[in-house]
Amino acid sequence: ADPIIERIVVFDVARPKELTKKCVFVRADLTRPGMEEELTRSFQAQQLDALFHLAFVNSRVHRAAFAHELEVIGSMHILAATQAAGLKRLIIPSLTALYGARANAPALFNEQHALGGTGVRFITDRVEVEQHIARFADANPAIQVVVLRFAPVVGASANNPFTRLLRTGFVPTIMGFDPVWQVVHEDDAATALHLALTTRARGVFNVVGETAAPFSTVVRLSGARSLPLP
């Protein structure tokens, strides 16, 4: 609906079911060898001003090798093509979960805290992607790189491991342990992505709700009930 947006080019392996009149579909598979040259040609042909790199698996998958190929190798294809095509702006969504779960972790993280601290493949792949992006941003100051680390996204249409857990109605928790959580509403997440298209800022930003709350409060506000277990 934004009048400054002339055209949206959707790169995907399959044509989305719903496309607006502004949308153009281009078939692309980031797991296919040699995609750098094909993407570079496509970016140049479409005369892109900015690129949102959204091809990430935001939940655990049974095929870890596929997820690694899509996220890590696919992101390297994207970065190489972005540089070769001379794009001016690159926007990448990430996760606050990448800070990891550590016993000695601070109550609240800021963007300067180190990522990692877990052996989960889902996290380590995304941390590796962010490392590649950081090096790319340093080496290409002419390209405005914006990384948005989202807290768990909630809302009526949000579908991710956290919202699926809440929708079961009963959420298992650890008895005597009630950590502080932050979430972000899906409308605010969409607004952040939209603002990234015109902001003069660059770098990494945590995108979270204004306040933090105990996990039990988040569960209760969702309409579910906590089920404390030893």
Side-chain angles (χ1 to χ4, degrees):
D2 189 336
I4 74 167
I5 308 300
E6 177 184 336
R7 191 161 43 95
I8 299 170
V9 184
V10 180
F11 297 89
D12 209 335
V13 291
R15 184 183 181 86
K17 293 180 180 179
E18 296 183 13
L19 292 176
T20 68
K21 293 180 180 179
K22 284 186 178 181
C23 290
V24 175
F25 171 65
V26 176
R27 193 176 304 279
D29 182 357
L30 292 182
T31 63
R32 200 157 53 82
M35 276 305 297
E36 292 177 18
E37 294 182 4
E38 187 174 325
L39 285 171
T40 301
R41 290 194 297 269
S42 292
F43 291 172
Q44 291 172 332
Q46 298 296 336
Q47 298 181 318
L48 300 184
D49 296 308
L51 177 68
F52 287 84
H53 176 29
L54 307 171
F56 296 102
V57 181
N58 286 321
S59 61
R60 297 183 70 175
V61 295
H62 296 294
R63 296 171 57 198
F66 166 77
H68 180 81
E69 190 74 19
L70 173 66
E71 296 189 335
V72 179
I73 308 303
S75 293
M76 294 176 71
H77 291 327
I78 288 288
L79 295 177
T82 296
Q83 183 183 44
L87 266 65
K88 299 301 182 185
R89 187 181 298 252
L90 177 64
I91 302 153
I92 304 103
S94 188
L95 305 167
T96 56
L98 300 193
Y99 292 113
R102 302 189 293 276
N104 62 346
L108 295 173
F109 287 94
N110 61 39
E111 291 85 350
Q112 282 69 49
H113 279 98
L115 302 180
T118 175
V120 178
R121 180 72 176 269
F122 168 65
I123 298 296
T124 55
D125 279 353
R126 295 294 291 270
V127 170
E128 185 177 348
V129 170
E130 279 222 27
Q131 291 169 345
H132 288 304
I133 291 168
R135 288 193 290 268
F136 176 85
D138 288 341
N140 296 274
I143 301 175
Q144 187 173 3
V145 179
V146 179
V147 177
L148 302 176
R149 291 179 185 154
F150 289 100
V153 177
V154 297
S157 63
N159 181 18
N160 54 56
F162 183 55
T163 57
R164 290 195 293 271
L165 176 65
L166 294 177
R167 288 180 181 130
T168 63
F170 289 93
V171 179
T173 59
I174 300 174
M175 191 176 294
F177 183 60
D178 200 11
V180 173
W181 265 57
Q182 285 178 293
V183 296
V184 61
H185 192 272
E186 57 190 358
D187 290 346
D188 294 325
T191 298
L193 287 167
H194 188 189
L195 288 173
L197 192 61
T198 54
T199 182
R200 293 182 180 181
R202 60 175 67 208
V204 179
F205 300 91
N206 291 338
V207 183
V208 301
E210 291 183 358
T211 59
F215 183 68
S216 59
T217 301
V218 176
V219 172
R220 187 175 70 255
L221 290 173
S222 75
R225 296 180 63 183
S226 297
L227 184 63
L229 300 171

